[in-house]
Amino acid sequence: MKAVMLIGGEGTRLRPLTCNTTKAMVPILNKPFLEHAILYFKKHGIDDIILAMGYLPHSIKEHFGDGNHLGVSLTYVVEDAPLGTAGAVKNVEPFLDDRPFIVFNGDVITDIDLTKMVKRHNEVKPRATIALTSVENPNIYGVVETDASGLVKRFVEKPGWDEVTSNMVNAGIYVLEPEVMKYVPPSKFSMFENYLFPLLLERNEPILSYPAGGYWIDIGTPEKYLKVHHDLLMEWPDRGIRLEGKSELHRQTQIEGPVLIGEGCVISKGVHITGPAVLGPGCKIEEDVLLDKAVLWHGVKIGEGVRIKSCIICANSIIKQGCDVLENCVLGENVTIREDNAPAAGVRVWPEGF
């Protein structure tokens, strides 16, 4: 079975994390997001993966190559212009075959059981199967209404509270029969959510729902990006400290796990790190710094005495001595923060702001 992963978007909701980096390459626990997705597919026996790409594709190709080092085969298909979710899959149609295939939204981290979902699809034999997940706030997603047998009756995109009839939403994971792609026009923008799936219902083509348990999160915003790190780290059985390679940790450093520390970090005297937290490779932390539930990308430098709480600090940024406290901030890549321009709590800091 083949999988199509939709990673063509610019990740605008995730900015400034994606100002210079495609969403697929944004690090999750010091590995590109796409690597986590590839290993998820491989776990379920899916090793033939088509990447539907658009924004900054070259960095992905350079990093992953043919996928052989991860035990998979990767095919790259680049859009000339944005085509939407259904249009992107239509664009890769020449690389599909006559078997059902999986479509996976590139915003999602999940442990939904793909093996069971595919098995259910093959048993019922609908035209499409859609994974559903429950959320507290369905207003920002696509609500899916089903009948008693699990067949989809209606789609309601981003409903108001007066339209909400269910908290089960589209999880962005589909099993499709190749025949459904005949309904998608080539080289035109079209979406599964408000074009293809409603059209299938109009044509009385059955769509099956697959209510999925387990973990699911849309990492499309910095807040969710930080949350997924906290969630994954808290799943560590020992909630301890993990070193990815050789680093220099002063003996008077205090670290309360779960904390992941990349290779080549230098952590000075009196530093206190409280997990869940991540330090990317090559970070340098000066004396008496407090890092509390923070995510630092590679090459970040933190000056003496700085306090950082629940922040995301992107690659090669520098926070100089005297900045005191940064809380609930998101700093883009290559940002330098001095005492006279330290941001207020809760403010996103963009590179072009300095």
Side-chain angles (χ1 to χ4, degrees), residues 300-313:
V300 170
K301 296 179 174 59
I302 309 295
E304 182 177 343
V306 173
R307 304 293 189 257
I308 295 177
K309 300 180 180 181
S310 299
C311 291
I312 304 165
I313 314 295

Side-chain angles (χ1 to χ4, degrees), residues 310-353:
S310 299
C311 291
I312 304 165
I313 314 295
C314 292
N316 301 313
S317 287
I318 301 170
I319 303 173
K320 294 193 172 182
Q321 179 180 356
C323 288
D324 194 17
V325 178
L326 275 72
E327 186 170 359
N328 299 325
C329 286
V330 183
L331 307 188
E333 296 186 42
N334 302 304
V335 172
T336 297
I337 301 293
R338 304 182 299 273
E339 183 177 5
D340 58 350
N341 65 11
V347 175
R348 292 189 188 182
V349 176
W350 295 61
E352 56 266 35

